[in-house]
Amino acid sequence: MNIHASTSRAPAPVLRVEGLSKQFEMHHLQRTLFAFDNIGFRLDEGEFILLTGENGAGKSTLLRTLYRSYLPRAGHAYYHTREGVIDLAAAADVDIAVLRRREIGFVTQFLNARPRVAAEEIVAEPLRLAGTPHAEALEQARRWLTAFGVKSQLWPAYPSTFSGGEQQKVNLARALILPQRLLLLDEPTASLDRDARRALVERLAELKASGVAMIGVFHHPEDVASLVDREIRLETIRIADGADDVAE
Amino acid sequence: MTAPGVAAPTGLERQPPRLMLARPILTMRGVARRYGDVQALAGVDVTVYPGEVLGIVGESGSGKSTLLRMMNLEDTPDAGTYHLALAGREPAGPDGRNLFTLDRFQRRMLRAIHIGIVYQNPHLGLRMGHTSSGNVAERLLIAGNRNFAELRQRAREALEASEFPVARMDARPNTLSGGMQQRVQLAKAIALEPAVLLLDEPTTGLDVSVQALVLDTLKRLQRDRAITMVLVSHDLGVIRTMADRVMVMRCGEVVEEGLADQIFQDPQHEYTQQLVHAKL
């Protein structure tokens, strides 16, 4: 009898979250705002997790905490880097900055564009920071802008003059131009037209197939239904005195 | 509930850096300075990594400009140490030695070659009676360059990199606009490719459109040349646009330090929250 060793292998973990909690200390109100408590899950290579829950349940806050725009109150978020495992909840700022440049992307609907910088330069910038020559970075940036439906007349213009939808397309092109290992998606399709939403979903599908792990909140979850492997529902924290989220 | 004025504990101690391959380029520990009754700096620690922009914010009198003057070796603290990682740079600096112990000549040489600075007031950084190219060339002269043609060429290159119109390189700074004067200061500061570029309110006093152009030049220099920068500003918009990490100072102390987006989106200290929420 021939026994063949299986060639399939278990997907490698990218992120393991344990007991993660977040609360905001509002000094001027002398109050604490509870966002989420004791969250735990695992995210593997090529896996797509959809976060669901009512408004205020902490979905976007969880993404921002994983990206370390917010500081967690407790818990761990073990991220498997190419060099080893690092706890995003406690890692030094400078390490987080390195991971953001190399491996972890945050895709949001909001563009924080520097004034007087052309749309194509904004999109090309992550590539340039990674060492890609200017001409090549610009060429790729233009491809991405085309994919998201930004007209060529707008490429050399300043995004601060664009409509919200066009700004968002520039933002998406910039966020997705560099390959990442982990993508945090915070309502990236909100206010996008249908063609741009389709272009985004196509790009996310390519990234997922290439092994990129993703976790996100979506304004139109049906857009990404074909990509979702699992759903995690966040519940609004209820405090005994009836004031949701807030404790004195 | 956290007491007002005390940084809210996150419950987590941040780890020392592990992934950063390079060691810090600038390290200060326990820097203290008193002027009469005023404790301008009360034991400040600073760590800056290669290629990053560290923003320092705080209200007037918080000690941020005093700290920058210490980094530029213009003053000596009552206590503290200061190291720059200059290994591999030419000429080699006093690597490993507390820079506050250097004599005046050594400090001047170190400042001229390894530290660049752009002041808010161009009169502090430029000789208004010399030409713009002469101001830049002076920096090169201090470093020992004596070849006139080469001096002029390198001055031109530095001015071009600072997006100064080189057709006006022989104009005196006092005939130029504020934005152009800042570009001459910038060219002078980067002419020798310093280990660290110090920026003391570089866009304060400029009108908004000129401010945007100067910030864009700085961002481009950081991206293309990986210049390490320390930027002091009371303008939170400038800091948010430019900085990778931010230090918040108050009464000579660092009350909070973090990634720029964390400081602006999730400030922990009561003072930082006030500062961020006060932004128009």
Side-chain angles (χ1 to χ4, degrees):
Chain A
M1 190 169 82
N2 289 327
I3 299 175
H4 297 282
S6 170
T7 53
S8 65
R9 60 181 177 85
V14 172
L15 185 66
R16 201 176 72 250
V17 176
E18 294 176 0
L20 199 66
S21 303
K22 174 61 188 166
Q23 61 192 46
F24 296 93
E25 303 285 344
M26 316 292 280
H27 291 289
H28 65 295
L29 298 174
Q30 297 209 325
R31 286 190 163 206
T32 301
L33 180 73
F34 289 90
F36 56 80
D37 189 39
N38 199 26
I39 300 275
F41 63 89
R42 172 182 156 148
L43 178 66
D44 290 336
E45 261 180 17
E47 192 176 19
F48 192 113
I49 291 180
L50 177 69
L51 291 176
T52 62
E54 57 194 60
N55 289 341
K59 305 183 292 293
S60 290
T61 303
L62 173 58
L63 294 178
R64 285 167 198 266
T65 305
L66 292 173
Y67 196 60
R68 266 282 290 280
S69 297
Y70 293 164
L71 289 176
R73 176 69 181 85
H76 305 281
Y78 297 110
Y79 175 72
H80 294 244
T81 71
R82 295 183 179 103
E83 285 91 5
V85 179
I86 186 166
D87 184 0
L88 299 178
D93 295 326
V94 68
D95 286 345
I96 295 290
V98 170
L99 286 174
R100 287 177 176 187
R101 278 200 295 274
R102 290 185 193 166
E103 304 189 17
I104 302 179
F106 190 90
V107 187
T108 175
Q109 57 178 306
F110 301 109
L111 174 69
N112 188 16
R114 287 204 316 283
R116 297 202 182 214
V117 182
E120 59 190 7
E121 294 287 353
I122 286 175
V123 175
E125 192 171 68
L127 286 175
R128 298 209 59 203
L129 286 171
T132 307
H134 190 202
E136 189 183 330
L138 266 188
E139 191 185 319
Q140 283 199 47
R142 289 167 184 162
R143 260 204 313 271
W144 278 99
L145 288 165
T146 304
F148 282 111
V150 180
K151 295 185 180 73
S152 58
Q153 299 96 303
L154 293 180
W155 298 349
Y158 304 140
S160 52
T161 62
F162 292 5
S163 70
E166 296 301 308
Q167 284 193 8
Q168 194 179 340
K169 292 174 189 175
V170 173
N171 193 34
L172 290 175
R174 177 187 164 97
L176 296 173
I177 198 166
L178 258 187
Q180 312 276 7
R181 289 190 67 232
L182 170 63
L183 272 183
L184 307 165
L185 306 156
D186 188 10
E187 302 213 14
T189 58
S191 79
L192 278 185
D193 56 47
R194 190 184 301 170
D195 287 346
R197 271 154 63 189
R198 192 181 304 128
L200 173 64
V201 173
E202 280 172 14
R203 174 61 179 159
L204 295 181
E206 287 169 14
L207 293 171
K208 178 174 156 60
S210 71
V212 176
M214 288 178 252
I215 176 167
V217 185
F218 283 82
H219 196 65
H220 303 279
E222 65 276 11
D223 287 341
V224 290
S226 61
L227 305 178
V228 174
D229 295 301
R230 274 192 300 142
E231 277 188 35
I232 294 177
R233 182 170 176 80
L234 298 187
E235 300 293 341
T236 304
I237 295 175
R238 311 274 172 193
I239 305 299
D241 67 0
D244 292 356
D245 302 343
V246 180
E248 303 241 11
Chain B
M1 189 70 237
T2 308
V6 177
T10 65
L12 296 164
E13 286 299 320
R14 276 178 264 175
Q15 299 164 347
R18 287 195 314 121
L19 288 181
M20 215 47 204
L21 298 175
R23 61 176 175 151
I25 197 159
L26 183 156
T27 313
M28 283 182 149
R29 292 290 176 264
V31 177
R33 182 70 165 105
R34 174 180 282 275
Y35 299 105
D37 293 338
V38 179
Q39 187 72 49
L41 296 173
V44 172
D45 295 342
V46 187
T47 308
V48 185
Y49 290 88
E52 75 169 346
V53 179
L54 176 71
I56 303 178
V57 294
E59 61 200 4
S60 299
S62 60
K64 53 190 193 304
S65 288
T66 304
L67 183 60
L68 209 71
R69 279 205 301 278
M70 295 293 174
M71 289 180 189
N72 199 36
L73 292 168
E74 292 175 44
D75 197 355
T76 304
D78 304 322
T81 60
Y82 179 15
H83 294 96
L84 280 176
L86 301 172
R89 293 179 59 86
E90 288 296 331
D95 215 20
R97 186 168 163 194
N98 178 6
L99 302 182
F100 289 136
T101 64
L102 300 181
D103 63 32
R104 281 185 63 182
F105 177 76
Q106 289 171 315
R107 286 181 182 217
R108 183 165 177 255
M109 290 306 290
L110 193 85
R111 205 161 49 221
I113 297 168
H114 296 298
I115 305 173
I117 188 162
V118 174
Y119 297 96
Q120 176 186 349
N121 181 353
H123 284 84
L124 292 175
L126 299 175
R127 293 180 196 276
M128 293 296 170
H130 293 189
T131 62
S132 298
S133 55
N135 269 280
V136 180
E138 184 190 20
R139 175 61 59 102
L140 301 164
L141 269 169
I142 295 171
N145 195 326
R146 294 288 184 271
N147 181 309
F148 179 80
E150 194 178 314
L151 280 173
R152 192 162 169 79
Q153 178 57 27
R154 287 189 64 184
R156 169 191 282 269
E157 287 168 5
L159 286 163
E160 276 178 341
S162 303
E163 294 173 353
F164 180 89
V166 287
R168 301 201 65 191
M169 65 189 277
D170 293 325
R172 290 189 173 85
N174 56 9
T175 65
L176 302 171
S177 67
M180 286 298 124
Q181 289 178 355
Q182 292 306 68
R183 290 183 189 285
V184 179
Q185 276 207 85
L186 188 56
K188 183 176 178 179
I190 64 167
L192 288 171
E193 302 197 346
V196 61
L197 175 60
L198 309 176
L199 303 158
D200 188 7
E201 305 270 8
T203 58
T204 302
L206 301 179
D207 68 55
V208 178
S209 59
V210 177
Q211 175 175 306
L213 291 171
V214 172
L215 291 179
D216 190 42
T217 302
L218 289 171
K219 199 76 186 172
R220 193 180 48 71
L221 282 171
Q222 192 226 353
R223 183 191 65 203
D224 296 347
R225 300 187 175 204
I227 295 179
T228 307
M229 301 183 190
V230 178
L231 168 63
V232 163
S233 180
H234 70 276
D235 186 331
L236 297 186
V238 168
I239 294 289
R240 190 168 195 164
T241 302
M242 292 294 301
D244 299 303
R245 290 191 303 121
V246 174
M247 266 174 48
V248 183
M249 291 192 69
R250 187 192 194 192
C251 299
E253 294 181 340
V254 177
V255 297
E256 188 167 351
E257 188 173 353
L259 291 160
D261 56 329
Q262 180 259 302
I263 292 292
F264 285 99
Q265 293 180 37
D266 187 21
Q268 304 294 301
H269 194 279
E270 182 185 22
Y271 174 68
T272 315
Q273 290 188 2
Q274 285 173 359
L275 207 63
V276 169
H277 294 152
K279 184 178 179 294
L280 292 176

